[in-house]
Amino acid sequence: MKKQVMSEIISFLLILLFLYAGVSKIYGFPGFIRDMHNQPFPLWFSNFLILFIPLMELLLVAMLFVHRTRRWGLWGSLVVMTAFTLYTSVILLRLFGRIPCSCGGIIKSLSWRQHLLFNLFFVGVAIIDLYLHIDNKKKSVNTTTYRTN
Amino acid sequence: MKKLRTGLTATVAVLGIGGALATVPKQDCTTQPQFRKLGSNNYVSAGTLNVNYRCDASTTTCTYIHTGSGSTDADYTACRTQATYVPIH
């Protein structure tokens, strides 16, 4: 029960992150477009990400919210946060040759180094929640099997 | 468990949506014409981002917007901060 409560709280922490990120991107869409165009990507890829990132974030919110799809939502969150972390690391390692500015917003006002720590924290959160979720599922299957026997 | 879920849903909805709406600037400065500082007190049009220039992370200001009626430092406000103006040739 304790683990179930912990898993629920952690899932909602991820929901909060993706809901905030998705809504702020859509609400401040012109600024988001300009920020994406300032990233060191080819224009076609930036244009793809401009639509893909906010939609994916809101899709993750829905998947994490619904119990039946939460496991997929947690895997999705882990993949997305890992991708963001890798991108931040690549920026900090100057593999693109320059460090673009991350201008505006609450999360965006963090420096790239702070952003890396923030992302790493949420990668950890997603891993813990995935472990708790799988553990809870196993226990509930065992309980059901025990009861039917 | 149901009570916890309802409480968390309400908290997340208020913080997530409310927080996003509250922190996104109502008037996004980047939608307005951008200027760059040239010399000590001279501002010129910055051009188009990613076409004429880009903003690289640093501790200075990349672009400004014109908020006054004159052409002094007091008439321009920093828009893209924590960045340096880098022209694209």
Side-chain angles (χ1 to χ4, degrees), chain A residues 20-39 41 45-57 84 101-105 108, chain B residues 24-25 28-31 49 80:
Chain A
Y20 173 81
V23 172
S24 59
K25 283 183 184 78
I26 290 169
Y27 189 61
F29 204 57
F32 174 59
I33 292 172
R34 281 166 180 81
D35 285 343
M36 285 307 293
H37 284 162
N38 193 40
Q39 301 303 313
F41 301 132
F45 190 54
S46 291
N47 287 336
F48 164 73
L49 289 178
I50 283 165
L51 289 177
F52 180 72
I53 291 177
L55 290 178
M56 179 204 57
E57 285 173 339
F84 286 164
C101 73
S102 51
C103 332
K108 285 190 284 179
Chain B
V24 171
D28 186 0
C29 69
T30 58
T31 58
L49 182 66
R80 288 188 175 275

Side-chain angles (χ1 to χ4, degrees), chain A residues 1 4-5 8-9 12-13 15-16 19-21 23-25 27-32 34-39 41 43 46 64-67 70 97-106 112, chain B residues 1 4-26 28-32 34 49-51 53-58 62 79-84:
Chain A
M1 186 68 180
Q4 223 174 335
V5 171
E8 196 72 16
I9 292 171
F12 272 85
L13 199 63
I15 292 175
L16 177 63
L19 186 66
Y20 173 81
V23 172
S24 59
K25 283 183 184 78
Y27 189 61
F29 204 57
F32 174 59
R34 281 166 180 81
D35 285 343
M36 285 307 293
H37 284 162
N38 193 40
Q39 301 303 313
F41 301 132
L43 199 58
S46 291
L64 288 166
F65 189 75
V66 178
H67 254 288
R70 183 167 286 175
R98 72 184 184 99
I99 299 181
C101 73
S102 51
C103 332
I106 269 199
W112 283 101
Chain B
M1 198 66 179
L4 174 77
R5 207 174 145 77
T6 312
L8 286 173
T9 306
T11 310
V12 160
V14 170
L15 287 180
I17 299 172
L21 300 186
T23 53
V24 171
K26 283 196 177 65
D28 186 0
C29 69
T30 58
T31 58
Q32 295 172 44
Q34 303 289 302
L49 182 66
N50 223 35
V51 175
Y53 73 96
R54 61 179 206 230
C55 290
D56 287 3
S58 78
C62 182
C79 178
R80 288 188 175 275
T81 56
Q82 300 292 308
T84 299

Side-chain angles (χ1 to χ4, degrees), chain A:
Chain A
M1 186 68 180
K2 238 183 187 176
K3 279 186 178 176
Q4 223 174 335
V5 171
M6 222 166 107
S7 168
E8 196 72 16
I9 292 171
I10 295 177
S11 292
F12 272 85
L13 199 63
L14 286 167
I15 292 175
L16 177 63
L17 171 74
F18 289 121
L19 186 66
Y20 173 81
V23 172
S24 59
K25 283 183 184 78
I26 290 169
Y27 189 61
F29 204 57
F32 174 59
I33 292 172
R34 281 166 180 81
D35 285 343
M36 285 307 293
H37 284 162
N38 193 40
Q39 301 303 313
F41 301 132
L43 199 58
W44 66 267
F45 190 54
S46 291
N47 287 336
F48 164 73
L49 289 178
I50 283 165
L51 289 177
F52 180 72
I53 291 177
L55 290 178
M56 179 204 57
E57 285 173 339
L58 294 182
L59 180 69
L60 283 176
V61 168
M63 287 172 84
L64 288 166
F65 189 75
V66 178
H67 254 288
R68 276 206 318 208
T69 54
R70 183 167 286 175
R71 193 168 174 168
W72 288 108
L74 287 170
W75 277 114
S77 306
L78 183 60
V79 168
V80 164
M81 288 315 296
T82 306
F84 286 164
T85 306
L86 286 176
Y87 176 63
T88 313
S89 307
V90 162
I91 288 290
L92 281 170
L93 289 169
R94 292 173 187 262
L95 293 182
F96 281 118
R98 72 184 184 99
I99 299 181
C101 73
S102 51
C103 332
I106 269 199
I107 298 176
K108 285 190 284 179
S109 64
L110 300 174
S111 72
W112 283 101
R113 208 171 285 271
Q114 290 165 332
H115 221 118
L116 181 66
L117 293 175
F118 182 86
N119 288 352
L120 280 172
F121 170 76
F122 276 97
V123 168
V125 162
I127 290 172
I128 291 169
D129 202 10
L130 202 53
Y131 167 75
L132 289 173
H133 191 76
I134 292 170
D135 197 45
N136 286 336
K137 270 266 156 66
K138 265 186 197 166
K139 272 184 187 157
S140 72
V141 167
N142 286 345
T143 314
T144 317
T145 317
Y146 176 73
R147 276 184 189 153
T148 45
N149 287 343

